Amino acid sequence: MDALRLSHPFMVTANTLKAPPFCTLSLSTLPRRCFKVEAASTNKNNQPFDAATFEAERLALDAEARQAMAEAADPKAWKWVIRKRIWDLMEARNFANNPRPVHHRIPNFVGASVAAQKMRELDVFQVAQCVKINPDSPQKQVRFLTLSDGKKLLTPQPRLRTGFFSVLESSMLTLDTMKEACTSVGVAKHGRPIGLDEKIKVDLIVIGSVAVDPRTGARLGKGEGFAELEYGMLRYMGAIDDSTQVVTSVHDCQLVDDIPVEKLLIHDVPVDIICTPTQVIFTHTTIPKPQGIYWDKLSPEKLGQIRILRELKKRIEQETGKKLPTGPSEKLPPTAKRSRSRG
């Protein structure tokens, strides 16, 4: 997703498809068709959900993805220089919990639960009715607090491989299943999958980070670009807008001062609030938030691995009668097909 920006990107927003200045097409008056997305736990033969198989396959796919990132990363690229410095520091000083090593992950930092409690105390969290949270380990406690406080939790399937977003609500869960629902397996078992036509309003976005600049709100993830894709799809759905606050939780050692704002790409998502185990920082960021999905950044390989994006692209092209651009090619890990017997 670190592709160079093209001169005339197409941008999908909730209401419009923006092409080069000479061509603006409204989607609001076009017919909208619902694309159903199966939950990972859907089984056409009504077989029981096989949690062990699901988790084993998830871990295997994660390992493949991390290996591919390691092989594809340019060690001299500025984003990777900062990421590696943070990962190396957290390993050297033992600032991380499992899973380790933290390289090519959103680090599960020591004190993540304390940072989660600080986030819970934020006014914007307390008034939020629906919170979108990334599926990574350091935000697991934030997901639990969201459900235990009676809020609606919106979370993506890992790397959007098995579907789209799933919604979980405390009314659907017991205390035991609520804890399980904060894991990838639990989301697959207990979540309700939604499609692109779901009418949902997200009041707060919680995002994982590898590094973040408290002065500007500039953020780096682990380099796959999924946070940006998820944000763009929520913009397309009309679930969020520029006023929707973006919060991250990190270790204090992940705070940096050398992310060059001028080198950020148009799809990079800035953060409004940072919660660490010791402090809460309001960044007052002036970095523009992405307005949708930037198709000129999306490689054919990534598009081929994410079904929901292929469906969305096809829908827009059918509705507008115009072909969307495609980004540069990139090397991605192979996508294993999940066993149908797992549930």
Side-chain angles (χ1 to χ4, degrees):
M1 294 298 290
D2 290 354
L4 293 176
R5 181 177 179 179
L6 300 184
S7 58
H8 292 296
F10 281 69
M11 179 177 69
V12 178
T13 67
N15 297 314
T16 61
L17 174 66
K18 295 183 180 178
F22 54 81
C23 181
T24 301
L25 300 172
S26 172
L27 294 182
S28 59
T29 58
L30 294 172
R32 298 182 65 85
R33 293 178 291 279
C34 180
F35 289 87
K36 294 183 179 179
V37 180
E38 284 188 353
S41 58
T42 300
N43 186 292
K44 294 179 180 178
N45 298 321
N46 294 319
Q47 296 178 355
F49 179 83
D50 188 339
T53 299
F54 179 94
E55 183 67 0
E57 292 178 347
R58 183 187 72 83
L59 292 174
L61 287 168
D62 284 349
E64 290 175 353
R66 290 193 304 276
Q67 180 62 33
M69 280 193 288
E71 293 173 356
D74 178 358
K76 296 181 180 179
W78 69 268
K79 286 185 177 182
W80 285 103
V81 169
I82 297 173
R83 289 177 181 124
K84 186 175 186 303
R85 187 182 78 223
I86 297 299
W87 287 327
D88 288 348
L89 175 66
M90 298 188 79
E91 283 294 330
R93 298 193 181 181
N94 209 31
F95 286 156
N97 296 312
N98 287 325
R100 290 177 71 174
V102 297
H103 295 78
H104 306 289
R105 302 181 194 270
I106 298 296
N108 188 18
F109 61 93
V110 172
S113 293
V114 178
Q117 183 58 37
K118 290 185 179 296
M119 192 181 298
R120 183 190 203 180
E121 295 168 0
L122 293 173
D123 289 343
V124 68
F125 184 91
Q126 294 194 8
V127 301
Q129 297 181 29
C130 178
V131 185
K132 184 267 180 185
I133 306 177
N134 58 297
D136 300 282
S137 298
Q139 283 72 44
K140 181 178 178 181
Q141 182 66 10
V142 183
R143 296 192 292 275
F144 177 76
L145 293 175
T146 297
L147 290 172
S148 64
D149 285 357
K151 305 178 189 297
K152 185 180 296 185
L153 170 63
L154 182 68
T155 191
Q157 287 292 326
R159 292 185 171 87
L160 299 177
R161 284 180 304 235
T162 56
F164 187 35
F165 290 103
S166 292
V167 172
L168 297 104
E169 299 183 61
S170 56
S171 60
M172 305 159 51
L173 306 163
T174 66
L175 180 60
D176 288 337
T177 57
M178 188 179 295
K179 293 177 180 177
E180 184 183 39
C182 299
T183 67
S184 295
V185 169
V187 171
K189 286 178 65 174
H190 305 293
R192 176 178 67 83
I194 67 171
L196 290 165
D197 291 290
E198 182 85 8
K199 301 300 181 185
I200 189 169
K201 180 180 182 296
V202 174
D203 303 303
L204 181 67
I205 292 177
V206 178
I207 193 169
S209 303
V210 172
V212 62
D213 189 333
R215 304 169 309 160
T216 64
R219 164 201 170 269
L220 297 182
K222 60 180 179 283
E224 290 186 298
F226 284 99
E228 288 76 17
L229 289 173
E230 293 158 10
Y231 187 95
M233 284 187 280
L234 289 175
R235 288 294 296 239
Y236 170 80
M237 294 168 66
I240 60 173
D241 56 30
D242 281 338
S243 69
T244 309
Q245 298 275 285
V246 179
V247 188
T248 192
S249 58
V250 295
H251 193 275
D252 289 271
C253 77
Q254 294 173 259
L255 301 176
V256 302
D257 61 3
D258 58 345
I259 299 179
V261 172
E262 69 277 6
K263 291 186 179 181
L264 293 176
L265 299 176
I266 195 170
H267 59 262
D268 287 324
V269 179
V271 300
D272 299 288
I273 307 173
I274 305 167
C275 295
T276 81
T278 67
Q279 59 187 317
V280 174
I281 302 167
F282 293 84
T283 69
H284 305 290
T285 184
T286 59
I287 301 171
K289 290 176 179 173
Q291 300 299 298
I293 297 173
Y294 298 91
W295 297 98
D296 59 307
K297 307 293 184 294
L298 190 59
S299 72
E301 293 82 7
K302 183 156 286 186
L303 188 66
Q305 288 191 357
I306 304 175
R307 181 181 61 185
I308 190 69
L309 282 176
R310 297 196 302 273
E311 293 176 349
L312 176 56
K313 187 172 187 284
K314 181 179 178 181
R315 168 195 287 201
I316 294 168
E317 290 177 339
Q318 288 177 342
E319 292 178 342
T320 64
K322 294 187 177 292
K323 190 170 181 62
L324 293 171
T326 302
S329 293
E330 63 177 325
K331 181 179 179 180
L332 293 178
T335 302
K337 294 187 180 296
R338 293 196 183 278
S339 167
R340 293 183 178 276
S341 63
R342 73 173 189 334

